[in-house]
Amino acid sequence: MSYRLQFQQLKKERKQKKQVKKKKQSYMVYQQSQENNAGKVPGIGADSCGVTEPNFCDHSKFMELLTDEVQKECFRTFQEATSNRALAMSICVVCAREMMAYEGEKLFILSIPNIKQRLRLAIVHPSYDLWEEMLLVKHDIEGEGPSVLGWNCSTQTCNPHTP
């Protein structure tokens, strides 16, 4: 094998290693964000309603009733966590996944970076229902012109901050 071919092959291997390393780093960041957000549903949890963990060594408080204030706060927190607003579902206009509404946000569609380049199709099938030559979920798009709104999930594939 000539020197030039060896050099090109070495260059390809280095490039592949860099790509693998980059993917591993982005996956680690994704895993950390998932771990940080694990079990974090807004408004649900014993700490949010003022109930403390029982002290099993202190027998004097056995079967003690909660105060009215703590009980009302627990009911209020439970109602907020199970309300229609907290349990609302939305469909992402980019990836068409139905997710909890708090997992994304409403954005101006045309403000998402590179959206026209990413969602423009090279081959258009007649059955596709396109919006401004982009494949989007049209029934969840609100408004007209440049101020068009759509709900966008915050997953890695639909993140509006990725180039």
Side-chain angles (χ1 to χ4, degrees):
M1 203 184 288
S2 72
Y3 174 73
R4 178 174 257 164
L5 289 174
Q6 287 178 342
F7 181 72
Q8 287 176 347
Q9 189 175 12
L10 183 64
K11 206 173 177 181
K12 280 183 183 179
E13 288 174 4
R14 285 182 182 168
K15 189 175 182 180
Q16 288 175 344
K17 285 181 182 179
K18 281 184 183 180
Q19 289 174 343
V20 168
K21 187 177 179 181
K22 219 179 214 184
K23 286 182 181 179
K24 282 182 181 179
Q25 287 175 344
S26 65
Y27 181 70
M28 293 297 287
V29 168
Y30 172 74
Q31 272 188 323
Q32 287 175 347
S33 69
Q34 291 297 320
E35 288 172 4
N36 292 342
N37 295 331
K40 288 188 179 177
V41 176
I44 294 179
D47 56 336
S48 62
C49 72
V51 176
T52 57
E53 284 290 319
N55 184 358
F56 294 109
C57 297
D58 187 10
H59 298 293
S60 64
K61 296 188 178 192
F62 180 69
M63 297 289 285
E64 185 177 289
L65 296 176
L66 296 174
T67 64
D68 286 340
E69 294 171 12
V70 172
Q71 198 171 20
K72 284 180 183 178
E73 183 61 30
C74 285
F75 285 139
R76 224 178 279 118
T77 306
F78 177 76
Q79 284 177 336
E80 287 176 16
T82 58
S83 67
N84 286 339
R85 187 176 53 90
L87 299 176
M89 302 290 282
S90 293
I91 297 174
C92 179
V93 295
V94 176
C95 66
R97 281 189 269 187
E98 185 178 26
M99 301 177 82
M100 300 298 288
Y102 65 83
E103 293 179 309
E105 59 186 341
K106 276 202 173 188
L107 296 171
F108 291 109
I109 292 176
L110 297 176
S111 71
I112 300 173
N114 303 323
I115 191 164
K116 288 195 176 194
Q117 291 83 10
R118 287 174 147 194
L119 299 178
R120 182 164 287 142
L121 300 173
I123 300 170
V124 179
H125 192 273
S127 66
Y128 290 159
D129 192 13
L130 301 177
W131 179 81
E132 291 199 17
E133 300 177 10
M134 293 182 286
L135 188 59
L136 295 171
V137 180
K138 281 179 69 173
H139 66 274
D140 284 339
I141 295 175
E142 302 169 5
E144 290 183 20
S147 61
V148 174
L149 286 171
W151 188 83
N152 188 8
C153 65
S154 57
T155 60
Q156 200 75 16
T157 55
C158 295
N159 191 348
H161 305 294
T162 57

